[in-house]
Amino acid sequence: ATSVARGDVGTAGTVKAALSAVTAADKVVLRVERAGTNANAWNLWVYPSKVPADIPGGVQVAMRWDAAARDALRQGGAVLLLPKAEALKDPVPGTFTPVFWNVQMKHTQVSKTMGLLVNSADPALAGFPTDFHSDWQWWDPVLRSPVMRLDGLPQALRPCVAVIDSYTENRRLALVFEAKVGPGRLLVCSVDIADGLESRPVARQLRRSLLDYMAGPTFRPDVPVSEQELATLL
């Protein structure tokens, strides 16, 4: 029991919860309830403190869409492409907060999008717990990403992590998608999952989930995308 003056912020106590039972990346819920009052609940995400950093055999990580990446795909390889903003055509800034009012009346605002639409059942995210929408574990990945424009790619392509554009633009936007490029298999992620991973557990876990997926038997993109079509993006 505690008393806090109206209008002030006070401390009611300290909550400690053992997390030893959480052995893999997972979402947990902290629920605080007291008889006669409403309950509060908070979504929390728990990540391993150490994640293997190795790149699985048969998977090539490329930081740019260069001849080496294209050659690997032409030879039937699996490529994880991590493009920076300067490597993309007309990227959209990654912002966690949605458009305020609208971009026509607030045209100077940085936020141009309306959150994420995530295929949470996609095997690429099997090691990265997520709902179908934005939540706080996406804060760091979204802010450390340029959003890709997929307008020039086939309509059949459905990104694993899509970004919802403002209704004034309605562009096809994404952070993660996969495609069949010739005999090769390509997964493109514009989230920064390469830098500062020792202090970025969410990005570290997303990277591990994508790599493990690409090394497994379910990484079989079924939407063909030509190098010419990719040239509209990269």
Side-chain angles (χ1 to χ4, degrees):
T2 186
S3 296
V4 178
R6 180 174 295 173
D8 288 349
V9 176
T11 300
T14 301
V15 175
K16 294 183 178 180
L19 298 175
S20 57
V22 184
T23 58
D26 204 357
K27 172 187 172 182
V28 299
V29 178
L30 171 63
R31 181 180 174 90
V32 178
E33 188 173 5
R34 185 178 177 187
T37 66
N38 293 328
N40 280 345
W42 297 265
N43 293 336
L44 304 172
W45 290 266
V46 183
Y47 300 99
S49 57
K50 294 183 179 180
V51 175
D54 62 296
I55 298 174
V59 177
Q60 178 175 322
V61 176
M63 302 304 298
R64 55 186 57 86
W65 181 239
D66 54 16
R70 292 192 292 270
D71 288 343
L73 292 170
R74 291 167 184 168
Q75 295 171 19
V79 175
L80 172 60
L81 180 62
L82 308 176
K84 301 287 188 181
E86 56 269 21
L88 298 171
K89 293 184 178 178
D90 300 321
V92 179
T95 54
F96 189 80
T97 52
V99 171
F100 172 68
W101 197 246
N102 68 64
V103 293
Q104 291 178 321
M105 298 184 69
K106 299 285 186 179
H107 62 276
T108 59
Q109 65 182 326
V110 176
S111 295
K112 306 292 185 184
T113 58
M114 300 291 287
L116 304 180
L117 177 61
V118 183
N119 182 0
S120 55
D122 195 299
L125 300 176
F128 188 80
T130 180
D131 292 308
F132 72 89
H133 52 78
S134 307
D135 212 326
W136 289 109
Q137 89 277 30
W138 284 102
W139 174 274
D140 174 77
V142 167
L143 292 185
R144 295 282 292 265
S145 69
V147 177
M148 298 179 286
R149 297 184 58 175
L150 309 186
D151 302 292
L153 302 189
Q155 288 293 319
L157 189 146
R158 292 290 181 265
C160 170
V161 182
V163 179
I164 304 169
D165 200 4
S166 164
Y167 66 87
T168 59
E169 298 278 357
N170 200 28
R171 297 162 294 191
R172 296 180 63 209
L173 305 177
L175 294 180
V176 182
F177 74 90
E178 65 180 47
K180 176 178 170 55
V181 183
R185 297 166 294 153
L186 176 68
L187 193 150
V188 185
C189 174
S190 61
V191 175
D192 179 2
I193 55 173
D195 301 322
L197 298 184
E198 63 280 354
S199 60
R200 300 175 59 223
V202 184
R204 187 171 63 222
Q205 189 64 38
L206 178 59
R207 176 188 176 95
R208 188 70 259 163
S209 183
L210 296 180
L211 287 173
D212 288 346
Y213 164 63
M214 294 181 69
T218 59
F219 181 44
R220 293 288 183 270
D222 57 0
V223 177
V225 177
S226 68
E227 292 185 17
Q228 291 73 25
E229 289 170 322
L230 286 171
T232 66
L233 166 69
L234 301 163

